[in-house]
Amino acid sequence: GAVVSQHPSRVICKSGTSVKIECRSLDFQATTMFWYRQFPKQSLMLMATSNEGSKATYEQGVEKDKFLINHASLTLSTLTVTSAHPEDSSFYICSASREGYGYTFGSGTRLTVV
Amino acid sequence: GQQLNQSPQSMFIQEGEDVSMNCTSSSIFNTWLWYKQEPGEGPVLLIALYKAGELTSNGRLTAQFGITRKDSFLNISASIPSDVGIYFCAGLPRQLTFGSGTQLTVLP
């Protein structure tokens, strides 16, 4: 089946620094990748949708200058949290999609900003 | 925007019991998906439903796409300890929208 790899699984960073999270589709070419954020005991909230080679579409309320998304190839998308603050601490999950493959999720990245 | 109401929010059941949870939407969906998420992991797809009235099984799991296209349910039969986790419904069309989740605890 389709496999999506997300890295790192956990990261702790200092307030004010930037963190990059990678999402790779390992055995298929994803036409679209999605980034979600999940706070404790809550559901997944879509942050942005990205198509390879084009700018990401951000959901209302998500700061595009803070959460930089790059989808440079059909197998790789990155999310960079810039100038991180403690309130950015959360569980970030990516998903990759292609017609016929459905939506496959990565294993998530636990970001802690101290 | 689209909203999914998922119930119950949490369930505590004895091992061997059957479980039922459901999702309702304020709008029509053309796809319903059921996921399970374990602590510190991403969601894993359990069942996908594509047609109104469709009833699909995956082992001890059974899910149905409601006739009105605004609801879906998931049943788990003869629960076992490894069924513990959070179960999410999710639906399309425009984008994958998640329900609020059902936290399932199975007591031995």
Side-chain angles (χ1 to χ4, degrees), chain A residues 4 12-14 25 28 33 46 53 59 65 67 70 77 83 86 92 104 108-109:
Chain A
V4 173
I12 300 173
C13 72
K14 290 186 177 181
S25 55
F28 69 104
M33 287 190 172
L46 181 65
E59 294 301 300
D65 293 332
F67 298 99
N70 184 285
S77 177
S83 187
Y92 292 87
T104 304
T109 297

Side-chain angles (χ1 to χ4, degrees), chain A residues 45-111:
Chain A
M45 299 302 296
L46 181 65
M47 298 174 66
T49 301
S50 73
N51 294 295
E52 184 263 342
S54 61
K55 288 185 178 180
T57 301
Y58 291 80
E59 294 301 300
Q60 192 172 9
V62 178
E63 300 174 59
K64 62 181 180 181
D65 293 332
K66 180 169 186 62
F67 298 99
L68 301 179
I69 291 172
N70 184 285
H71 192 163
S73 76
L74 285 171
T75 60
L76 174 64
S77 177
T78 61
L79 168 68
T80 301
V81 183
T82 63
S83 187
H85 290 284
E87 57 265 32
D88 298 325
S89 298
S90 188
F91 193 54
Y92 292 87
I93 309 172
C94 71
S95 173
S97 174
R98 180 188 176 97
E99 189 172 351
Y101 286 82
Y103 295 79
T104 304
F105 287 81
S107 54
T109 297
R110 173 73 60 196
L111 170 63

Side-chain angles (χ1 to χ4, degrees), chain B residues 40-51:
Chain B
E41 297 289 332
V44 174
L45 182 65
L46 300 174
I47 292 180
L49 302 162
Y50 301 106
K51 293 191 306 185

Side-chain angles (χ1 to χ4, degrees), chain B residues 67-101:
Chain B
I67 292 292
T68 65
R69 296 171 63 189
K70 291 185 177 182
D71 64 328
S72 177
F73 72 76
L74 174 71
N75 285 343
I76 305 173
S77 62
S79 58
I80 59 177
S82 61
D83 290 334
V84 166
I86 303 176
Y87 291 78
F88 289 101
C89 62
L92 291 167
R94 187 175 80 84
Q95 62 197 32
L96 199 56
T97 302
F98 280 82
S100 51

Side-chain angles (χ1 to χ4, degrees), chain A residues 23-43:
Chain A
C23 180
R24 294 180 183 271
S25 55
L26 298 186
D27 51 0
F28 69 104
Q29 293 184 323
T31 51
T32 307
M33 287 190 172
F34 306 85
W35 288 95
Y36 292 82
R37 180 165 53 183
Q38 185 179 31
F39 291 107
K41 298 189 184 303
Q42 294 189 20
S43 187

Side-chain angles (χ1 to χ4, degrees), chain B residues 7-100:
Chain B
S7 64
Q9 187 174 7
S10 63
M11 301 183 74
F12 292 81
I13 62 169
Q14 295 291 138
E15 183 176 356
E17 289 184 348
D18 297 344
V19 173
S20 184
M21 59 192 78
N22 68 81
C23 270
T24 58
S25 166
S26 57
S27 56
I28 290 175
F29 280 14
N30 58 26
T31 300
W32 282 98
L33 306 171
W34 283 92
Y35 289 88
K36 179 185 179 186
Q37 185 181 29
E38 299 192 15
E41 297 289 332
V44 174
L45 182 65
L46 300 174
I47 292 180
L49 302 162
Y50 301 106
K51 293 191 306 185
E54 181 180 354
L55 183 70
T56 299
S57 293
N58 177 7
R60 294 177 296 105
L61 278 61
T62 302
Q64 184 160 30
F65 194 142
I67 292 292
T68 65
R69 296 171 63 189
K70 291 185 177 182
D71 64 328
S72 177
F73 72 76
L74 174 71
N75 285 343
I76 305 173
S77 62
S79 58
I80 59 177
S82 61
D83 290 334
V84 166
I86 303 176
Y87 291 78
F88 289 101
C89 62
L92 291 167
R94 187 175 80 84
Q95 62 197 32
L96 199 56
T97 302
F98 280 82
S100 51

